[in-house]
Amino acid sequence: GLGLLVYPNPTADYLILHVGDLELLNLEFQLFDIDGKLIVDQKIANTNETIPMENLPGAVYFLKVLKSNTALKTFKIIKV
């Protein structure tokens, strides 16, 4: 019920992370590869945050949304 959405999934180029009515303060996302290696760690500045994926190889990734360093939700992302 947090209103967190990620689309399109599967994706080829980019993801939109929609954070609904969550307060943006201390909100961030982390993108991990299948081995758990951190690829991106970035503050969320917009209700609809665009995450570029075009330079990443086709694989399974995990997108974790955190608030004040506490994980809210993890999405499994398919990059084609």
Side-chain angles (χ1 to χ4, degrees), residues 11-50:
T11 183
D13 321 305
Y14 65 90
L15 290 169
I16 304 287
L17 171 61
H18 175 76
V19 298
D21 52 7
L22 276 178
E23 169 66 57
L24 293 174
L25 189 68
N26 296 325
L27 206 58
E28 64 181 303
F29 71 84
Q30 295 175 337
L31 186 67
F32 297 89
D33 69 13
I34 194 79
D35 299 318
K37 183 173 152 241
L38 181 62
I39 302 167
V40 184
D41 183 356
Q42 193 177 308
K43 292 252 182 269
I44 296 171
N46 302 291
T47 305
N48 291 298
E49 191 78 27
T50 302

Side-chain angles (χ1 to χ4, degrees), residues 45-70:
N46 302 291
T47 305
N48 291 298
E49 191 78 27
T50 302
I51 304 168
M53 300 281 288
E54 66 261 25
N55 295 327
L56 296 172
V60 174
Y61 297 88
F62 295 97
L63 182 71
K64 188 182 284 188
V65 179
L66 303 99
K67 171 85 172 170
S68 303
N69 296 319
T70 302

